[in-house]
Each structure stands twice: as C-alpha cells, then as structure tokens.
Amino acid sequence: MAPKKSLKKKPFQCFVPQFPPDVYTVIVEQVAAFPSPSKSLSALVALSLASRSFRPLCQRQIFYTVNINTALYTYSYYGRRISGKKRMEDFMELLKDSPHLADYIRDLGFSLVSRDVDNPGLAFQFLSKLHCIRKFQLTCNACLISYNPADEKLPSTFDWRKIDSDLAATLLGIIQSPSLRSLGLEGFNHFPSQALFSLKTSTLLVDLSIDFLHMDAEGACPRNDDDSSRPQIKKYRVGAYCDQVATAFLGGPEGEQAVFDFSHVEKLSFEWLRQADADAAKAIMQSARRIQDLQCTFSPHASLTFEGLADMIMYGSSQTLRNLEVIRFEPELEDENPSRGLIEELKLLSGNVGVLESITLRLTCGNNMPYDMSDKCKVLDALLSDEAAFPRLRKLSLDVVLSVPGSGVLESWDIENHEEEVEEESANIQERCFTCVAAIPGFELRFSMKIDWV
C-alpha cells in the first residue's frame, strides 16, 4: 500500500537566479540613477531586501550621500518626518550591528547649530566614525543675514573658537583628509588659518566652495620648498565676505605661497555683495585663465552695479569662456530695469569672447518692467545676433522676475489675472523682439517673465 502524501504545506521559497557580479552592479547603478532621489532611494531599499546579492551594492548607494542639519526636519524615503539629530541617533544605533556602513559615506553635508556647541557629544560620536569622506560641505545655520550696504562689518557668522575642542579637531580632520576631493565651508569667523593653509597638501582636492568665511589671522600661506604639488582646482565657488580668505589662497607679493593652483579652473562662480567681493573676483580671474563656465550672482541688497563685469572677464578668461550666467535678485540700485547696465557690459564684451556659446540672464526688476522691456530686448537681440560680436553664440536664456507689491492686498482672482497678463506679454515679447537671433540656424532661445509678489 502506497504511503499517503503529507498534507502539510511546505514553506514558500522564492527562487532568485544567480547572475555574474557585473550584472548586479549594472542593475544597482541603473536604479540609483533614477531622476527622483526619493524614488531611487526607496527602490534601492526594496532591492536590497529582495536578495542578499544586492545588499552590499545597494548599501553603498544608500549611504553614499548623507546630509545632516540638526536645526531642520527632513523626510525619510518613506515620508516620515525626522530631525537631523534623530537621523544621527538612528545611524549610531545602526552602526552597533553594522559598523562597516560608516565607510560607505563618501558625500557628507553637515550643518552646525548652537545645540551642537552646547552638547557636542552626539555630533562628535557621529563624525568620528567617518573615515572615507570624499566630499564635505560644512555650514553653520547662524549665518542668517540682515545686510546693511552701508555696514562693511562681517555679518552674523559662527565663531569657530566656541566649538568644543574634540568636535573641532574631528571636523578639521575631515577637512584636512588627504583623500578629500570636494570641500565647502560656509558661515564661520575666526576659522583656523593654518587649517586652510594646510590644504596645499590635499592634492586630490579639485572642487572648492567658500561663503561668508573669515580667518583668525590676516596674511597668506608661508612659503616652503615644495611648490609643485599644490591642488589643481577645477571648480571654484567664492561667496560674499570671502575676500580675505580668497586673497590669501592666491598668495602674496612678498613671498607668501599660493595654497591652490587656480590655472586649471574650468568652472567659476562668484557672489558679489560689496566692492571687496568684486576686487577679489578680479584677482582670481587673473590666475584662472582657462575658465569655460562663469556664474556671477549679485546678492540681495548688493551695493554694486553691473559696471566692471566685462572688464573682469576680459582681465582673465575671455578667450576660453563658453558659458556666461548672470543672476541679480533685486533691481539695480534705483533703476527698475537692470538690463540697461547689463547691455552696456555685453557691448564691451562684443568681439572679445570669440568662443562664447551660451548666455543665461536671470534678472529681478521693478513692477513697471513689462512696459519697458520690449525696447531693451530689441537692443539685446541686435547685439547678440551680430556674428562679428558673438560668432559662436547659439543659446540665450533670459528669465525676468517682476517684483510686485500687493500679495496681501489683492484678491486671488486679481493675482491670477496679473499673472496671465504677464505670461501673455512674455510670449509676445519673445515673438516680437527676438527676430534676429530666432533667424540664426540652431539658435536656442528662451524668454520668460513671472511675478514675485512681495
């Protein structure tokens, strides 16, 4: 007699086929490249749970970039609202069972606030676990500025000397790491000058960003015997109130050594708030003569006009410049139409930027601009379509923001009507005023106007 079959259900087993290691790598890289970071992160988490073969590769992607701002709440990939402090606590708990995850963090953004100074223990424990950082952005949330153009004093930044010694040493250890490739510093005064000068030995550093940064001492880096191994910076951003540090990085006429080699900079960004910022930019342009992408931002409350912009460009990289971007967040002094001064600077550039391919202009104007924009756009159209002036120019992007009062006064339907009128006028100006550049084969034109209710 044949034995009876057991009616007991067998546990469900999911068969996951085994692939060559390269296939797993390609799959994870494709998932990590999703346009939406939140969708990419959630997909990587799901993929890491699907098979153990995916887990190490997914973990490297999941923990590659970490941003900690203990003053703000952020959202996890599944929508839960968590603070930066809670994020650090969760990570420290995770490291108890999986200490190797700390080495997966390569891109770290960290913002200091007062509680990190009063209670530095958690921040110190978290940062001391990280030994493989390649990109580090250190900011301070104290740098919230109410700027008075008549006041040349350094705005509200964080005093480095108030940071706990152990925490400060850990931060400086990351900043001075020989494996660091990208560094950003923002919002500190009395920052240790020797720590900045020691960056001349960080030979892998190619990306540098400074903003509202002031050293603890004037002067430049003392000269030593080896001047050939300085980091070759390729991407450089200089914010406002950085003239002291930016000038020190360049060296000096009395034997002071330059910290970095700026002759290889390809992408340069400036933020101008005072004349000292513009002067520092001009000095940098003299050293950086291979710039291809230049961005110049006029900060809110900037006490500068566009005058001198063309002179600065011709002082440095006019023969290599391919892309120029100019951003202004407020009308130029009392002039509601900043395009006037900008057009004059572009006229000075004509014939001197032979390889310029793209111009991007983002301007904030007064509320009467729609009635004054047409004539200026026609002048701009005629200037930029001149083949002798800009022989390789094939792209113009002009975004105009109209600063209009009345957000708390007008009814919603009035606001909608105003916005529709501006949108319609924007389309008319592009069609009516940019006929010359539109006739150039392959020329890419984008013009837009929108209202910023204040």
Side-chain angles (χ1 to χ4, degrees), residues 115-133:
R115 71 165 64 98
D116 298 318
V117 178
D118 298 334
N119 300 288
L122 180 61
F124 169 71
Q125 293 175 23
F126 170 72
L127 293 169
S128 62
K129 300 288 185 182
L130 311 180
H131 306 291
C132 299
I133 302 299

Side-chain angles (χ1 to χ4, degrees), residues 379-396:
V379 173
L380 186 64
D381 177 52
L383 174 63
L384 299 184
S385 62
D386 185 351
E387 188 174 350
F390 299 95
R392 295 193 183 181
L393 187 67
R394 290 298 179 268
K395 181 178 180 181
L396 171 63

Side-chain angles (χ1 to χ4, degrees), residues 163-277:
I163 301 177
D164 174 77
S165 59
D166 290 336
L167 177 57
T170 303
L171 290 169
L172 292 178
I174 298 175
I175 291 171
Q176 297 170 302
S177 169
S179 61
L180 201 66
R181 292 176 171 82
S182 176
L183 174 63
L185 298 171
E186 178 182 355
F188 296 97
N189 62 67
H190 293 96
F191 196 90
S193 57
Q194 293 306 314
L196 294 176
F197 295 155
S198 69
L199 293 175
K200 64 186 177 184
T201 62
S202 301
T203 55
L204 296 181
L205 192 64
V206 294
D207 185 352
L208 180 64
S209 174
I210 55 176
D211 199 5
F212 289 97
L213 187 67
H214 199 269
M215 295 189 303
D216 59 359
E218 299 292 337
C221 181
R223 180 170 294 278
N224 60 18
D225 295 333
D226 185 11
D227 191 30
S228 60
S229 60
R230 290 175 296 158
Q232 297 181 351
I233 302 299
K234 295 185 178 180
K235 184 178 179 182
Y236 191 22
R237 180 185 179 276
V238 185
Y241 280 96
C242 291
D243 50 289
Q244 179 218 32
V245 176
T247 303
F249 283 164
L250 292 171
E254 299 182 1
E256 299 92 346
Q257 185 181 31
V259 180
F260 303 104
D261 179 2
F262 292 113
S263 64
H264 297 269
V265 173
E266 298 176 355
K267 186 172 184 178
L268 183 62
S269 302
F270 292 118
E271 185 172 350
W272 288 359
L273 197 57
R274 313 130 54 232
Q275 184 58 45
D277 300 327

